[in-house]
Every structure is written in structure tokens, then in C-alpha cells.
Amino acid sequence: MTTQIMKPSASLKAYNTFGIDHSCLFLHEVQDKATLVSTCLDLYAQDLPVLILGGGSNIVLVDDYQGHVVKVLTKGIECEEDDAFFYLHVEAGENWHELVTFCVKEGMGGLENLALIPGTVGAAPIQNIGAYGVELCDICDWVEYLELASGELKRLSVAECEFAYRESIFKQELKGKAVITAIGIKLAKQWQPILSYGPLSTIAQANLTPKHVFDYVCQLRREKLPDPVVLGNVGSFFKNPVIPVSTFERLQERYPDIVAFKMGHQHMKLAAAWLIDKAGLKGMRCSDASVHEKQALVLVNNGGATGRDVCQLAELIIERIMQLFGVQLEAEPRLIGAMGEMNKG
């Protein structure tokens, strides 16, 4: 069975959820772990530029990529259990939402708040994905990765992954040195719903099940977020900025309706969508890229946007938010240029 398909001069339009039409020199579609390992090690040994691609839901292509793209398509979900927990071993190429759906269907609660987050399982630990009060670090047990320098498969515990808000060791110390191959998920059998975040607090808790929460989260996301198949986007484009409590209190005096959430005792996490909406930027356009009319945190491709259009729009938003609120916004997706990831800002 063919476990890798290599395509020269391949278009990446169908491989990024923004639907931006750029190409790469070679595209490797890899369908099993052994081939993923051998392909990555071979390219690493040749010192060739390589982009590891999951669902393409966290990148903005700014130029044709002058290197090799490895599309991870590895599949497999294994489940074990003891009296207290379900333990899942999930291969990196599995679709994240399909994993959440599988768990809910099998009666395993804990992932339902993370429904409809685009992308693959292997990309999830890199920025510690999260939604509605739950982050990957809350249910992650371990992360397996290929260490490119040694060629060894290694495993980090959740503590060793150095997870923080949209951060991990894979964005810092191990950036460019590791390829995530699988993750472990640990779900408590004594399910406790997480309903403290925003609209989830309105859910009636009598006879509540993970399926109820899953359905409600899906409904919320479908109402607020455009389907990338219909309108190209990467979901939330900006991180919610974290600021000191004292800074928040000064902003709150000027803007009593400001939306924020506590992060420990000393910091507040501002709702970036509120900032952009308050600044009157919904619908703002740069060529064919625009701020979504229904959700200010989402930038969309109206059909013919380039990566540069998206970047220009993001820069204008960042500049305007700094002028109005004195708050620095930071883009979530990676910007991919001709030779690899570009610095933001």
C-alpha cells in the first residue's frame, strides 16, 4: 500500500482553510507514522526547508513556499481504561473535531467544549488550543514527538510540555526541532461539565450530558463563526490579550462594558473581539480580505484575498487597537513566507 504521495509544484489552496492560492516545491502526503518519520528525517538530513502541515487552519500563506510541505495524514485512535479514567492514544493526522465527536458518541466526556475547533490532533499541543473554559492542557496526558536531531521518538508529560495560554514548548525550545506524531488524552469517568465561560453558564444542569454541551457548543460556533469551506478563515485570528489588573481597571473606567476574564490574581484576559468591535472595525476590508460581520475576531477571504491582504488588514487592526486602548494584539496563525515562518509585526 502506498503510504506517501509526493507532488512537485503543488498548489496549497486546498490545504489551508483561508483558501489562499500559493504553491510549494514539493508536497508529501504521508499516511503512516513510519513514513512520516523517514520522510522528515530524510529532509532534515538534507537541510531542506520543511513545513509540517496538519489541517492548515493556523497558517497564512504569504508567498509560494520554496521548500517541502509534509501533509500529516496518519490515523488511529486507541482507547484503554481503568476505574477512574479513559486513556486515548491518538495519531497526529486525526481531525480534531472528529476526535471530539468520537469521544462524545462513546460516552467519554471532557472534550465537548472543544468541539468544532478546526485542524488536526498533532497541531493541537503546539498552541495549546482552547475554547469555552477548557484548554488542551486540561485533558492532555502526554505528547509524542520525533526529535529530528537524534531520529528518536520521545514522549513528554503534560507538565514537561510547558503549556500556557496559546503557548507550549513546541513553540519555544522545540520549535523547528520536533514533529508531533501522537498525543495521549486522559478523560475522567466522573464527568464534571465546565460551564463557567460566557454563554455556557446559561445551560440547564439538570440531567446534563456531554452530548448536551457538545450540541450547544456546536450551535454557538456555527452561529458565530463562518464555515471555512464557504468563506476562507482560520477561526480566531487574534489572541485575547492578557494585561495586569491595574491596566484593566483603568480601561474599565473609560469603557464600563469592557469584556474580560480573570487569569489568576494579577492578570485579566481581554476579549479581543470586544476590542475590535468597539473600535468599529467589523466589515473593514483590505482588498478581498475583511473582518467578519458577525464575529470581529475572524478575518475572512471573500474569494480572492492574498496572504498579503490578510497581513495588511491585521496590521491595521493591531495599530488601531493600540491607538484606542493602548493594548497590543497578537495574531494567532503562523505567517508562512517563501523560506518558512515569518516574524509577526
Side-chain angles (χ1 to χ4, degrees):
M1 183 179 73
T2 302
T3 56
Q4 179 183 182
I5 299 172
M6 186 170 76
K7 303 175 182 178
S9 302
S11 170
L12 296 174
K13 184 175 183 178
Y15 295 84
N16 72 99
T17 60
F18 243 126
I20 293 172
D21 194 8
H22 277 304
S23 64
C24 62
L25 290 184
F26 290 95
L27 173 66
H28 305 256
E29 295 182 325
V30 181
Q31 299 177 22
D32 72 276
K33 186 181 294 187
T35 308
L36 174 62
V37 169
S38 62
T39 300
C40 291
L41 291 179
D42 181 51
L43 295 172
Y44 180 78
Q46 297 179 64
D47 199 25
L48 295 170
V50 177
L51 173 64
I52 307 298
L53 194 60
S57 61
N58 197 46
I59 61 170
V60 178
L61 297 174
V62 183
D63 210 337
D64 290 340
Y65 181 62
Q66 303 301 310
H68 294 247
V69 171
V70 178
K71 170 67 174 172
V72 182
L73 296 169
T74 54
K75 301 292 183 182
I77 302 173
E78 298 176 5
C79 184
E80 298 179 354
E81 60 183 290
D82 58 23
D83 292 341
F85 294 96
F86 297 106
Y87 302 91
L88 281 75
H89 178 126
V90 190
E91 297 300 318
E94 287 284 350
N95 176 276
W96 177 263
H97 177 66
E98 290 178 6
L99 170 65
V100 177
T101 303
F102 168 82
C103 289
V104 171
K105 185 178 179 181
E106 295 298 317
M108 296 181 284
L111 293 182
E112 56 283 342
N113 292 45
L114 305 178
L116 279 182
I117 293 180
T120 58
V121 165
I126 296 173
Q127 64 167 13
N128 185 26
I129 62 169
Y132 298 108
V134 176
E135 293 184 325
L136 180 79
C137 60
D138 298 323
I139 47 81
C140 182
D141 195 14
W142 49 263
V143 177
E144 178 192 85
Y145 70 96
L146 170 65
E147 184 180 67
L148 292 168
S150 68
E152 297 177 5
L153 285 175
K154 294 191 172 184
R155 185 175 287 193
L156 295 178
S157 69
V158 62
E160 292 170 324
C161 289
E162 298 177 11
F163 287 127
Y165 175 59
R166 300 298 176 266
E167 285 292 342
S168 72
I169 194 172
F170 302 102
K171 287 179 72 173
Q172 302 299 330
E173 182 184 338
L174 291 181
K175 185 176 181 179
K177 302 176 182 178
V179 178
I180 294 173
T181 52
I183 73 170
I185 290 175
K186 182 178 178 181
L187 302 174
K189 289 187 171 182
Q190 290 286 357
W191 176 68
Q192 294 292 328
I194 306 298
L195 305 174
S196 58
Y197 202 89
L200 296 195
S201 62
T202 64
I203 297 178
Q205 297 194 35
N207 301 315
L208 191 64
T209 68
K211 179 68 161 53
H212 291 134
V213 180
F214 172 85
D215 289 342
Y216 191 62
V217 168
C218 288
Q219 177 187 332
L220 286 172
R221 291 185 71 92
R222 288 182 173 125
E223 287 174 354
K224 292 170 57 178
L225 303 174
D227 183 347
V229 175
V230 178
L231 199 61
N233 71 91
V234 293
S236 299
F237 195 90
F238 298 101
K239 295 180 182 179
N240 290 319
V242 177
I243 62 173
V245 168
S246 58
T247 305
F248 168 73
E249 289 173 346
R250 288 196 296 271
L251 283 170
Q252 193 176 37
E253 289 178 3
R254 292 169 53 199
Y255 306 100
D257 59 334
I258 192 169
V259 178
F261 308 92
K262 288 184 178 180
M263 284 197 74
H265 297 295
Q266 299 181 349
H267 291 88
M268 299 290 288
K269 182 167 66 174
L270 297 182
W274 183 91
L275 296 171
I276 297 167
D277 193 7
K278 191 73 171 180
L281 300 180
K282 276 186 179 177
M284 181 183 182
R285 295 180 73 105
C286 280
S287 188
D288 229 12
S290 68
V291 180
H292 189 48
E293 293 282 0
K294 292 184 179 180
Q295 171 50 267
L297 201 52
V298 177
L299 307 189
V300 298
N301 177 1
N302 293 289
T306 67
R308 296 186 188 280
D309 295 334
V310 174
C311 290
Q312 183 181 3
L313 177 60
E315 288 167 5
L316 290 172
I317 294 168
I318 290 168
E319 181 180 337
R320 184 63 175 149
I321 298 306
M322 176 56 75
Q323 288 173 347
L324 281 178
F325 305 104
V327 172
Q328 181 70 44
L329 286 185
E330 182 182 348
E332 280 199 31
R334 302 163 63 202
L335 310 181
I336 308 298
M339 300 310 295
E341 188 166 356
M342 302 163 59
N343 291 329
K344 300 172 185 175

